[in-house]
Amino acid sequence: MIIKDEVFDSMLSSGVLDDFLDLIDPQKFDEFSRSVFITLRNAVKSIESNADKYYDQSEEQISTTISLLIEKAGFQTKSEPSNRGHVDIFVEKDRFKWLIEAKIGYNNQKIFEGLLQLTSRYLTDQRSACLLLYFKKENIKNNFESWKDYIQNKKWKDYAKMHDILNDCELMYGESIIKPDPFCVGYSFLAGAKTTAGESLDIYNLGANLHFRPVDSSGRNGVALRKNQAKLYLEHLYHDKENGLPIDEKELYKNLNDYFDFDKKQ
């Protein structure tokens, strides 16, 4: 004979009870996800105010710092855990979890690949997640608005056709709309999407301004800073190769010289 405590323990250990509680009180997950998003926004503000320390770091290095800042706020975090693949930041508290995929904002196509990872690989039964974008180029306002327009006006279609994934993208983003959300201020917005299983979810999009290029005399003449800026220029130029944009040869040679210091070696 099975007693009540055994039934309860079985439901608890199997996760059935958690799923049931979340079903009858979905607001708890919404409160959790928004709490994480607010904490994430504060973490972003922290690294933005120290952009001189982060502008030349890799995506993984910046995400590790973000993860640690979220953890300090009382959440459990993991950097690049396995969740149907290696998601950048995995946040947990109590029975809830939230996924954050980070991407350097080289261009809309590279960012779109991050969104594809979230909706076609990592997300299964979650109702929301976040796409965190590190912008290292100047004018984050234009770059972030360009990404928002890319989603809102479905400008991803040409890219999807090129890679023969249009039908998949139509399923996931064909009905996507930008949703009003009081927590989305500044460089952030909320967009609807679907998983490949057809489940609806919300994707928070958050931009971090990590541009750092002082143009005062010490900034212009600093060898290390000039070399780091040249590296960033070459990185963005490489990732823009698929866009077929014209290359300014004078600017290219200048940055090659800033990075390799050819003039000094002559």
Side-chain angles (χ1 to χ4, degrees):
M1 179 179 177
I2 300 176
I3 60 174
K4 290 182 179 179
D5 286 346
E6 289 176 334
V7 173
F8 180 80
D9 289 342
S10 175
M11 291 177 66
L12 189 61
S13 62
S14 67
V16 171
L17 184 61
D18 285 345
D19 292 341
F20 175 70
L21 291 174
D22 192 26
L23 182 65
I24 63 174
D25 191 6
Q27 289 185 345
K28 284 189 176 180
F29 175 80
D30 294 338
E31 289 169 5
F32 160 76
S33 59
R34 284 177 173 172
S35 178
V36 179
F37 183 66
I38 292 169
T39 302
L40 175 61
R41 264 201 350 226
N42 290 335
V44 165
K45 286 179 184 177
S46 178
I47 64 168
E48 284 180 331
S49 64
N50 293 280
D52 57 314
K53 298 178 178 65
Y54 297 105
Y55 78 99
D56 62 337
Q57 289 194 358
S58 69
E59 178 186 298
E60 292 77 14
Q61 288 173 316
I62 301 168
S63 295
T64 297
T65 300
I66 292 285
S67 181
L68 291 171
L69 290 170
I70 294 173
E71 198 165 81
K72 283 184 178 180
F75 297 95
Q76 292 178 308
T77 64
K78 299 174 186 175
S79 294
E80 297 216 358
S82 180
N83 189 77
R84 288 163 53 101
H86 293 284
V87 67
D88 289 310
I89 304 173
F90 187 92
V91 186
E92 289 181 292
K93 191 169 186 179
D94 301 326
R95 67 181 186 273
F96 300 123
K97 59 184 179 180
W98 211 56
L99 278 58
I100 302 170
E101 177 64 14
K103 280 284 177 274
I104 294 176
Y106 291 116
N107 53 52
N108 290 334
Q109 292 77 20
K110 289 294 178 183
I111 298 172
F112 189 62
E113 284 291 338
L115 183 60
L116 288 172
Q117 284 176 284
L118 268 179
T119 55
S120 70
R121 180 187 294 269
Y122 303 140
L123 295 171
T124 51
D125 57 350
Q126 294 88 354
R127 288 200 302 274
S128 71
C130 182
L131 188 59
L132 176 59
L133 311 175
Y134 306 135
F135 289 97
K136 298 184 176 185
K137 290 196 294 187
E138 70 279 1
N139 206 340
I140 183 178
K141 185 180 188 316
N142 280 1
N143 292 325
F144 191 78
E145 286 299 320
S146 174
W147 165 243
K148 184 177 180 180
D149 179 60
Y150 191 80
I151 293 299
Q152 192 166 27
N153 292 308
K154 300 175 176 49
K155 293 184 177 180
W156 43 261
K157 286 189 175 183
D158 287 341
Y159 184 77
K161 287 177 185 176
M162 185 190 309
H163 294 279
D164 197 24
I165 54 172
L166 182 59
N167 288 341
D168 301 281
C169 292
E170 286 284 8
L171 168 64
M172 294 185 287
Y173 321 119
E175 299 175 6
S176 179
I177 58 171
I178 306 300
K179 301 181 177 182
D181 188 281
F183 295 92
C184 288
V185 294
Y187 305 122
S188 62
F189 66 88
L190 181 66
K194 289 182 179 179
T195 65
T196 52
E199 296 291 339
S200 297
L201 65 145
D202 291 329
I203 303 292
Y204 286 89
N205 293 253
L206 177 61
N209 182 12
L210 299 183
H211 177 65
F212 179 73
R213 188 176 183 178
V215 293
D216 59 320
S217 59
S218 60
R220 294 193 307 272
N221 300 321
V223 176
L225 180 62
R226 193 166 63 243
K227 184 172 182 176
N228 285 336
Q229 291 296 336
K231 178 175 176 286
L232 289 178
Y233 168 84
L234 293 170
E235 280 181 12
H236 281 80
L237 185 66
Y238 174 80
H239 288 291
D240 266 341
K241 65 184 185 299
E242 287 188 4
N243 292 334
L245 298 175
I247 296 175
D248 184 333
E249 288 191 3
K250 185 177 179 180
E251 186 69 13
L252 172 60
Y253 289 135
K254 173 189 175 299
N255 280 278
L256 286 171
N257 184 57
D258 284 345
Y259 188 77
F260 290 104
D261 204 6
F262 291 124
D263 287 345
K264 188 177 181 181
K265 294 174 183 177
Q266 288 180 351

